[in-house]
Each structure stands twice: as C-alpha cells, then as structure tokens.
C-alpha cells in the first residue's frame, strides 16, 4: 500500500505542478481556474485540519494542555479508517477522530469537488499521507534546548517512507510524521526547496541507534 501511495503521490505531484505557472509574470491571473484549484486546495486543507481540531473528541486531550498542543494532539489522532471506508477511508477516519460523522466529511469533499476539483485534490493528499487505522503517540516532554533537540533528532527506522526523516521529526516535535511529509511535498513545488532540504536531512541526520559522537 505504501508503494502505491508513493506512485500516486508522484502522479498527483506532477499534475499539481502543471497547475502552477512559474515565470517572470507569476503570479498570473490568465488561468483563473488553475490558480483557483491550487489556492482552493490549500484553503480546503486548512479548513479540514482546523475543522477537525474544533470538532475533535475532547476526551483525547490532555488536562491542562494549551490550544497549540491540543491542535497538534488532534493532528496525531487523524487517520484513514480501515473499517468505515468508501474510497480510501479518509472521511471514515475523520468521522472516528472527530464528533462530526463521516457522511458530513464526504458531503464536504463532494460539494467542493465541483469547485475546480478542490475537493478531489485535498482528498488525494489526505489519502496519501494519513496513516491507516492508527494514531501516533505524542513525544515525551524533553528539554527545549536547541542543542538537546539536535542530539535527539534521528532518522526513524520504523516510521519511514524514504529515509525516515519525517518519522524522526515526529518523535521530537509535536507534529506527526504525515504533516511533515505533506509539508516537504508542498515545499517541493517551491523551486524544489522541499526536496533539497529533505535530501540534506536524509544525508546528514544519523539513523536512530547510531552512536552520537558529540554526546558526553
């Protein structure tokens, strides 16, 4: 399933790149449907994530948590359902992680599909990156010293698609690995910056269980 998602991610990424007009006149309003599709996808993705947080099941929140930590905690609860699934299980997973039933999420994606395919693009991105039938535990509270963070950052051997960078970031930051993957992919369409950063981290960040030569 992971290999299939990587293939679809490549095809979807190529298609999205065709929507972006890069040149001396960018941004241009000569192609309003394409620009609306791209901006609409980003807007709908934001609406879905914020809506999932606002409607998340409050019993999963830790007592005394701040709004920001509760938001990241709700992101770790999001998943694609392997039980309530029509096509990919995205809406079923949103229904399991939030108080809004799955049919409401399906209705949202169906309606926004007719707005330049925004609902389709958003659904595909969530299907690619959301984990199936599982949630990610929050990392343990550690020192907030930047050097301590750099020492703890390792590439993950289990939560790994390509290199384990995003899985490693999820272990030392509040954001789950699927959010990091989505972020790197979105940045990849900004002059390839996401791909360059990912490759540098993949090359230089050590794999977990590797000896830390700088530790005392």
């Amino acid at each position: 399933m992971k290999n299939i998602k990587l293939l679809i991610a490549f095809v979807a990424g190529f298609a999205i790149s065709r929507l972006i007009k890069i040149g001396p006149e960018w941004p241009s309003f000569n192609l309003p449907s394409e620009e609306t599709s791209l901006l609409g996808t980003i807007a709908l993705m934001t609406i879905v994530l914020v809506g999932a947080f606002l409607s998340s099941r409050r019993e999963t929140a830790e007592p005394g948590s701040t709004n920001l930590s509760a938001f990241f905690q709700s992101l770790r609860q999001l998943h694609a359902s392997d039980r309530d699934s029509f096509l990919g299980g995205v809406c079923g997973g949103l229904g399991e992680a939030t108080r809004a039933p799955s049919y409401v999420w399906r209705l949202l994606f169906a309606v926004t599909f007719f707005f330049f395919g925004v609902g389709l693009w958003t659904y595909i991105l969530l299907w690619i990156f959301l984990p199936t039938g599982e949630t990610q535990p929050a990392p343990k509270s550690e020192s907030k010293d930047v050097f301590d963070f750099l020492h703890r950052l390792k590439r993950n051997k289990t939560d790994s698609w390509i290199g384990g960078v995003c899985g490693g970031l999820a272990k030392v930051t509040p954001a789950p690995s699927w959010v990091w993957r989505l972020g790197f992919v979105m940045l990849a369409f900004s002059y390839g910056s996401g791909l360059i950063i990912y490759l540098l981290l993949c090359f230089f960040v050590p794999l977990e269980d590797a000896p830390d030569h700088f530790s005392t």
Side-chain angles (χ1 to χ4, degrees), residues 90-152:
V90 171
C91 295
L94 288 169
E96 293 173 357
T98 68
R99 292 179 292 177
S102 57
Y103 79 86
V104 172
W105 293 105
R106 291 188 179 103
L107 181 61
L108 171 66
F109 285 110
V111 170
T112 53
F113 170 79
F114 295 100
F115 291 89
F116 307 99
V118 167
L120 176 62
W121 286 118
T122 306
Y123 191 95
I124 289 176
L125 289 173
L126 290 174
W127 177 75
I128 290 172
F129 294 106
L130 283 180
T132 301
E134 63 183 47
T135 58
Q136 296 184 346
K140 296 180 180 179
S141 177
E142 301 283 354
S143 171
K144 297 185 182 302
D145 180 81
V146 62
F147 293 104
D148 179 72
F149 167 82
L150 295 176
H151 280 294
R152 290 188 291 113

Coordinates of all heavy atoms in Angstrom, one line a residue, residues 90-152:
V90 N -10.6 8.1 4.2 CA -10.3 9.4 4.7 C -11.4 9.9 5.6 O -11.3 10.3 6.7 CB -9.9 10.4 3.6 CG1 -9.7 11.8 4.2 CG2 -8.6 10.0 3.0
C91 N -12.6 10.0 5.0 CA -13.8 10.5 5.7 C -14.2 9.6 6.9 O -14.6 10.2 7.9 CB -15.0 10.6 4.7 SG -14.7 11.8 3.4
G92 N -14.0 8.3 6.7 CA -14.3 7.4 7.9 C -13.3 7.7 9.0 O -13.8 7.7 10.2
G93 N -12.1 8.0 8.7 CA -11.1 8.3 9.8 C -11.4 9.6 10.4 O -11.3 9.8 11.6
L94 N -11.8 10.6 9.6 CA -12.2 11.9 10.1 C -13.4 11.8 11.0 O -13.5 12.4 12.1 CB -12.4 12.9 9.0 CG -11.2 13.4 8.3 CD1 -11.6 14.2 7.0 CD2 -10.4 14.3 9.1
G95 N -14.3 10.9 10.7 CA -15.5 10.6 11.5 C -15.2 10.0 12.8 O -15.8 10.2 13.8
E96 N -14.1 9.1 12.8 CA -13.7 8.4 14.0 C -12.9 9.3 15.0 O -13.0 9.2 16.2 CB -12.9 7.2 13.7 CG -13.7 6.1 13.0 CD -12.8 5.0 12.5 OE1 -11.5 5.1 12.7 OE2 -13.3 4.0 11.9
A97 N -12.2 10.3 14.4 CA -11.4 11.2 15.2 C -12.1 12.4 15.7 O -11.6 13.1 16.5 CB -10.1 11.5 14.4
T98 N -13.2 12.7 15.0 CA -13.9 14.0 15.4 C -15.4 13.6 15.7 O -15.9 12.5 15.6 CB -13.9 15.0 14.2 OG1 -14.7 14.4 13.1 CG2 -12.5 15.2 13.7
R99 N -16.1 14.7 16.2 CA -17.5 14.5 16.6 C -18.4 14.6 15.4 O -19.6 14.2 15.4 CB -17.9 15.5 17.6 CG -17.2 15.3 19.0 CD -17.6 16.4 20.0 NE -17.1 17.7 19.6 CZ -17.4 18.8 20.2 NH1 -18.2 18.8 21.3 NH2 -16.8 19.9 19.8
A100 N -17.9 15.1 14.2 CA -18.7 15.1 13.0 C -18.7 13.7 12.3 O -17.7 13.1 12.2 CB -18.1 16.1 12.0
P101 N -19.9 13.2 12.0 CA -19.9 11.9 11.3 C -19.3 11.9 10.0 O -19.1 12.9 9.3 CB -21.4 11.6 11.2 CG -22.1 12.9 11.2 CD -21.2 13.8 12.1
S102 N -18.9 10.7 9.5 CA -18.2 10.5 8.3 C -19.0 11.1 7.1 O -18.4 11.6 6.1 CB -17.8 9.1 8.1 OG -18.9 8.2 8.0
Y103 N -20.3 10.9 7.1 CA -21.1 11.4 5.9 C -21.0 12.9 5.7 O -21.1 13.4 4.6 CB -22.5 10.9 6.0 CG -23.4 11.7 6.9 CD1 -24.0 12.9 6.4 CD2 -23.6 11.3 8.2 CE1 -24.9 13.6 7.2 CE2 -24.5 12.1 9.0 CZ -25.1 13.2 8.6 OH -25.9 13.9 9.4
V104 N -20.8 13.6 6.8 CA -20.6 15.1 6.7 C -19.3 15.4 6.0 O -19.3 16.3 5.2 CB -20.7 15.7 8.1 CG1 -20.3 17.2 8.1 CG2 -22.0 15.5 8.8
W105 N -18.3 14.7 6.3 CA -17.0 14.9 5.7 C -17.1 14.5 4.2 O -16.6 15.2 3.3 CB -15.9 14.1 6.4 CG -15.6 14.6 7.7 CD1 -15.9 14.0 8.9 CD2 -14.9 15.8 8.1 NE1 -15.5 14.7 10.0 CE2 -14.8 15.8 9.5 CE3 -14.3 16.8 7.3 CZ2 -14.2 16.9 10.2 CZ3 -13.6 17.8 8.0 CH2 -13.6 17.9 9.4
R106 N -17.8 13.4 3.9 CA -18.0 13.0 2.5 C -18.8 14.1 1.7 O -18.5 14.4 0.6 CB -18.7 11.7 2.4 CG -17.9 10.5 3.0 CD -18.5 9.2 2.7 NE -17.7 8.1 3.2 CZ -17.9 7.4 4.3 NH1 -18.9 7.7 5.1 NH2 -17.0 6.5 4.7
L107 N -19.8 14.7 2.4 CA -20.6 15.7 1.7 C -19.7 16.9 1.4 O -19.8 17.6 0.4 CB -21.7 16.1 2.6 CG -22.7 17.2 2.1 CD1 -23.3 16.7 0.8 CD2 -23.7 17.5 3.1
L108 N -18.8 17.3 2.4 CA -17.9 18.4 2.2 C -17.0 18.2 1.0 O -16.9 19.1 0.1 CB -17.0 18.6 3.4 CG -15.9 19.7 3.3 CD1 -16.5 21.1 3.1 CD2 -15.0 19.6 4.6
F109 N -16.4 17.0 0.9 CA -15.5 16.8 -0.3 C -16.3 16.7 -1.6 O -15.8 17.1 -2.6 CB -14.7 15.5 0.0 CG -13.6 15.6 1.0 CD1 -13.7 15.0 2.2 CD2 -12.5 16.3 0.7 CE1 -12.7 15.1 3.2 CE2 -11.4 16.4 1.6 CZ -11.5 15.8 2.9
A110 N -17.5 16.1 -1.5 CA -18.3 16.0 -2.7 C -18.7 17.4 -3.3 O -18.6 17.6 -4.5 CB -19.5 15.2 -2.5
V111 N -19.1 18.3 -2.4 CA -19.5 19.6 -2.8 C -18.3 20.4 -3.4 O -18.4 21.0 -4.4 CB -20.2 20.4 -1.6 CG1 -20.4 21.8 -2.0 CG2 -21.5 19.7 -1.3
T112 N -17.2 20.3 -2.7 CA -16.0 21.1 -3.1 C -15.4 20.5 -4.3 O -14.5 21.1 -4.9 CB -15.0 21.2 -2.0 OG1 -14.7 19.9 -1.5 CG2 -15.5 22.1 -0.8
F113 N -15.7 19.3 -4.7 CA -15.2 18.7 -5.9 C -15.6 19.5 -7.1 O -14.9 19.6 -8.1 CB -15.7 17.2 -6.1 CG -15.5 16.6 -7.4 CD1 -14.2 16.1 -7.7 CD2 -16.5 16.6 -8.4 CE1 -14.0 15.6 -9.0 CE2 -16.2 16.0 -9.6 CZ -15.0 15.5 -9.9
F114 N -16.8 20.1 -7.1 CA -17.2 20.9 -8.2 C -16.6 22.3 -8.3 O -16.9 23.1 -9.2 CB -18.8 21.0 -8.2 CG -19.4 19.7 -8.3 CD1 -19.9 19.0 -7.2 CD2 -19.6 19.1 -9.5 CE1 -20.5 17.8 -7.3 CE2 -20.2 17.8 -9.7 CZ -20.7 17.2 -8.6
F115 N -15.8 22.7 -7.3 CA -15.1 23.9 -7.4 C -13.7 23.7 -7.9 O -12.7 23.6 -7.1 CB -15.1 24.6 -6.0 CG -16.4 25.1 -5.6 CD1 -17.3 24.3 -4.9 CD2 -16.8 26.4 -5.9 CE1 -18.5 24.7 -4.5 CE2 -18.1 26.9 -5.5 CZ -18.9 26.0 -4.8
F116 N -13.5 23.5 -9.2 CA -12.2 23.3 -9.8 C -11.5 22.1 -9.3 O -10.3 22.0 -9.3 CB -11.4 24.6 -9.7 CG -12.0 25.8 -10.2 CD1 -12.6 26.7 -9.3 CD2 -12.1 26.1 -11.5 CE1 -13.3 27.8 -9.7 CE2 -12.7 27.2 -12.0 CZ -13.3 28.1 -11.1
G117 N -12.2 21.1 -8.8 CA -11.6 19.9 -8.4 C -10.9 20.0 -7.0 O -10.1 19.1 -6.6
V118 N -11.2 21.0 -6.3 CA -10.5 21.3 -5.0 C -10.7 20.1 -4.0 O -9.8 19.7 -3.4 CB -11.0 22.6 -4.4 CG1 -10.6 22.7 -2.9 CG2 -10.5 23.8 -5.2
G119 N -11.9 19.6 -3.9 CA -12.2 18.5 -3.0 C -11.5 17.3 -3.4 O -11.0 16.5 -2.5
L120 N -11.3 17.0 -4.7 CA -10.5 15.8 -5.1 C -9.1 15.9 -4.8 O -8.5 15.0 -4.3 CB -10.7 15.7 -6.7 CG -9.9 14.5 -7.3 CD1 -10.4 13.2 -6.7 CD2 -10.0 14.6 -8.8
W121 N -8.5 17.1 -5.1 CA -7.0 17.3 -4.7 C -6.8 17.1 -3.2 O -5.8 16.4 -2.8 CB -6.6 18.6 -5.2 CG -6.4 18.8 -6.7 CD1 -7.0 19.6 -7.5 CD2 -5.5 18.0 -7.5 NE1 -6.6 19.5 -8.8 CE2 -5.7 18.5 -8.8 CE3 -4.6 17.0 -7.3 CZ2 -5.0 18.0 -9.9 CZ3 -3.8 16.5 -8.3 CH2 -4.0 17.0 -9.6
T122 N -7.6 17.7 -2.4 CA -7.5 17.6 -1.0 C -7.6 16.2 -0.5 O -6.9 15.7 0.4 CB -8.5 18.6 -0.3 OG1 -8.4 19.9 -0.8 CG2 -8.2 18.6 1.2
Y123 N -8.6 15.5 -1.0 CA -8.9 14.1 -0.6 C -7.7 13.2 -1.0 O -7.2 12.4 -0.2 CB -10.1 13.6 -1.3 CG -10.6 12.2 -0.7 CD1 -11.5 12.2 0.3 CD2 -10.1 11.0 -1.2 CE1 -11.9 11.0 0.8 CE2 -10.5 9.8 -0.6 CZ -11.4 9.8 0.4 OH -11.8 8.6 0.9
I124 N -7.1 13.4 -2.2 CA -6.0 12.6 -2.6 C -4.8 12.9 -1.7 O -4.1 11.9 -1.3 CB -5.6 13.0 -4.1 CG1 -6.7 12.4 -5.0 CG2 -4.2 12.4 -4.4 CD1 -6.4 12.8 -6.5
L125 N -4.5 14.1 -1.3 CA -3.4 14.4 -0.5 C -3.6 13.8 0.9 O -2.6 13.2 1.5 CB -3.2 15.9 -0.3 CG -2.7 16.7 -1.6 CD1 -2.8 18.2 -1.4 CD2 -1.3 16.3 -1.9
L126 N -4.8 13.9 1.5 CA -5.0 13.3 2.8 C -4.9 11.7 2.7 O -4.4 11.1 3.6 CB -6.4 13.7 3.3 CG -6.5 15.1 3.7 CD1 -8.0 15.4 4.1 CD2 -5.6 15.4 4.9
W127 N -5.4 11.1 1.6 CA -5.3 9.7 1.4 C -3.9 9.2 1.3 O -3.5 8.2 1.9 CB -6.1 9.2 0.2 CG -6.0 7.8 -0.1 CD1 -6.6 6.8 0.6 CD2 -5.2 7.1 -1.0 NE1 -6.2 5.5 0.1 CE2 -5.3 5.7 -0.9 CE3 -4.3 7.6 -2.0 CZ2 -4.7 4.8 -1.7 CZ3 -3.6 6.7 -2.8 CH2 -3.8 5.3 -2.7
I128 N -3.0 10.0 0.7 CA -1.6 9.6 0.5 C -0.9 9.7 1.9 O -0.1 8.8 2.2 CB -0.9 10.6 -0.5 CG1 -1.5 10.3 -1.9 CG2 0.6 10.4 -0.5 CD1 -1.0 11.3 -2.9
F129 N -1.1 10.7 2.6 CA -0.3 11.0 3.8 C -0.9 10.6 5.1 O -0.1 10.3 6.1 CB 0.1 12.5 3.8 CG 0.9 12.9 2.7 CD1 0.4 13.7 1.7 CD2 2.3 12.5 2.6 CE1 1.2 14.0 0.6 CE2 3.0 12.9 1.5 CZ 2.5 13.7 0.5
L130 N -2.2 10.4 5.3 CA -2.7 10.0 6.6 C -2.4 8.5 6.8 O -2.6 7.7 5.9 CB -4.2 10.2 6.6 CG -4.7 11.6 6.8 CD1 -6.3 11.6 6.8 CD2 -4.2 12.2 8.1
P131 N -2.0 8.2 8.0 CA -1.8 6.7 8.3 C -3.1 6.0 8.4 O -4.1 6.6 8.7 CB -1.1 6.8 9.7 CG -1.5 8.1 10.3 CD -1.7 9.0 9.2
T132 N -3.1 4.7 8.1 CA -4.3 3.9 8.1 C -4.6 3.2 9.4 O -3.7 2.4 9.8 CB -4.3 2.9 6.9 OG1 -4.1 3.6 5.7 CG2 -5.6 2.1 6.8
G133 N -5.7 3.5 10.0 CA -6.1 2.7 11.2 C -5.2 2.9 12.4 O -5.2 2.0 13.2
E134 N -4.5 3.9 12.5 CA -3.6 4.1 13.6 C -3.4 5.6 14.0 O -3.7 6.4 13.1 CB -2.2 3.5 13.3 CG -1.5 4.2 12.2 CD -0.2 3.5 11.8 OE1 -0.2 2.3 11.7 OE2 0.8 4.2 11.7
T135 N -3.0 5.8 15.2 CA -2.7 7.2 15.6 C -1.3 7.2 16.1 O -0.7 6.1 16.5 CB -3.6 7.7 16.7 OG1 -3.6 6.8 17.9 CG2 -5.1 7.7 16.2
Q136 N -0.6 8.3 16.1 CA 0.7 8.4 16.6 C 0.8 9.0 18.0 O 0.2 10.1 18.2 CB 1.5 9.3 15.6 CG 1.7 8.7 14.2 CD 2.5 9.6 13.3 OE1 2.9 10.7 13.6 NE2 2.9 9.0 12.2
P137 N 1.5 8.4 18.9 CA 1.6 8.9 20.2 C 2.4 10.2 20.3 O 3.4 10.4 19.4 CB 2.3 7.8 21.0 CG 3.1 7.0 20.0 CD 2.2 7.1 18.7
A138 N 2.1 11.1 21.2 CA 2.8 12.3 21.3 C 4.2 12.0 21.9 O 4.4 11.1 22.7 CB 2.1 13.3 22.2
P139 N 5.2 12.8 21.5 CA 6.6 12.6 22.0 C 6.6 13.0 23.5 O 5.9 13.8 24.0 CB 7.5 13.5 21.2 CG 6.5 14.6 20.7 CD 5.2 13.9 20.5
K140 N 7.5 12.4 24.2 CA 7.7 12.7 25.6 C 8.2 14.1 25.8 O 9.0 14.5 24.9 CB 8.6 11.7 26.3 CG 8.0 10.3 26.4 CD 8.9 9.3 27.1 CE 8.4 7.9 27.1 NZ 9.3 7.0 27.8
S141 N 7.8 14.8 26.8 CA 8.3 16.1 27.1 C 9.8 16.0 27.4 O 10.3 15.3 28.3 CB 7.6 16.8 28.2 OG 8.1 18.0 28.5
E142 N 10.6 16.8 26.6 CA 12.0 16.8 26.8 C 12.5 18.2 27.0 O 11.7 19.2 26.9 CB 12.7 16.2 25.6 CG 12.3 14.7 25.3 CD 13.0 13.8 26.3 OE1 13.9 14.2 27.0 OE2 12.7 12.6 26.2
S143 N 13.8 18.4 27.2 CA 14.4 19.7 27.3 C 14.2 20.5 26.0 O 14.2 19.9 24.9 CB 15.9 19.6 27.5 OG 16.5 20.9 27.4
K144 N 13.9 21.8 26.1 CA 13.7 22.6 24.9 C 14.9 23.3 24.4 O 14.9 24.1 23.6 CB 12.6 23.7 25.3 CG 11.2 23.1 25.6 CD 10.2 24.1 25.8 CE 8.9 23.6 26.2 NZ 8.3 22.6 25.2
D145 N 16.1 22.9 25.0 CA 17.3 23.4 24.5 C 17.6 23.0 23.0 O 17.4 21.8 22.7 CB 18.5 23.0 25.4 CG 19.8 23.5 24.9 OD1 20.1 24.7 25.3 OD2 20.5 22.8 24.2
V146 N 18.0 23.9 22.2 CA 18.1 23.6 20.7 C 19.2 22.5 20.5 O 19.0 21.7 19.6 CB 18.4 24.9 19.9 CG1 19.8 25.5 20.4 CG2 18.4 24.6 18.5
F147 N 20.2 22.5 21.3 CA 21.3 21.5 21.1 C 20.8 20.1 21.5 O 21.2 19.1 20.9 CB 22.6 21.9 21.8 CG 23.2 23.2 21.2 CD1 23.1 24.4 21.9 CD2 23.9 23.1 20.0 CE1 23.7 25.5 21.3 CE2 24.5 24.2 19.5 CZ 24.4 25.4 20.1
D148 N 20.0 20.1 22.6 CA 19.4 18.8 23.0 C 18.5 18.3 21.9 O 18.5 17.1 21.7 CB 18.6 19.0 24.3 CG 18.0 17.8 24.8 OD1 18.7 16.9 25.3 OD2 16.8 17.7 24.7
F149 N 17.7 19.2 21.3 CA 16.9 18.8 20.2 C 17.7 18.2 19.1 O 17.3 17.2 18.5 CB 16.1 20.0 19.7 CG 15.4 19.8 18.4 CD1 14.2 19.1 18.3 CD2 15.9 20.3 17.2 CE1 13.5 18.9 17.1 CE2 15.3 20.1 16.0 CZ 14.1 19.4 16.0
L150 N 18.8 18.9 18.7 CA 19.6 18.4 17.6 C 20.2 17.0 17.9 O 20.4 16.2 17.0 CB 20.7 19.4 17.3 CG 20.3 20.8 16.8 CD1 21.4 21.7 16.6 CD2 19.5 20.6 15.5
H151 N 20.6 16.8 19.2 CA 21.1 15.5 19.6 C 20.1 14.4 19.5 O 20.3 13.2 19.1 CB 21.7 15.5 21.0 CG 23.0 16.1 21.1 ND1 24.2 15.5 20.5 CD2 23.5 17.3 21.6 CE1 25.2 16.3 20.7 NE2 24.8 17.4 21.4
R152 N 18.8 14.7 19.8 CA 17.7 13.7 19.8 C 17.2 13.4 18.5 O 16.5 12.4 18.3 CB 16.6 14.2 20.8 CG 16.9 14.2 22.2 CD 15.7 14.4 23.1 NE 15.3 15.8 23.0 CZ 14.1 16.2 22.5 NH1 13.3 15.3 22.0 NH2 13.8 17.5 22.5

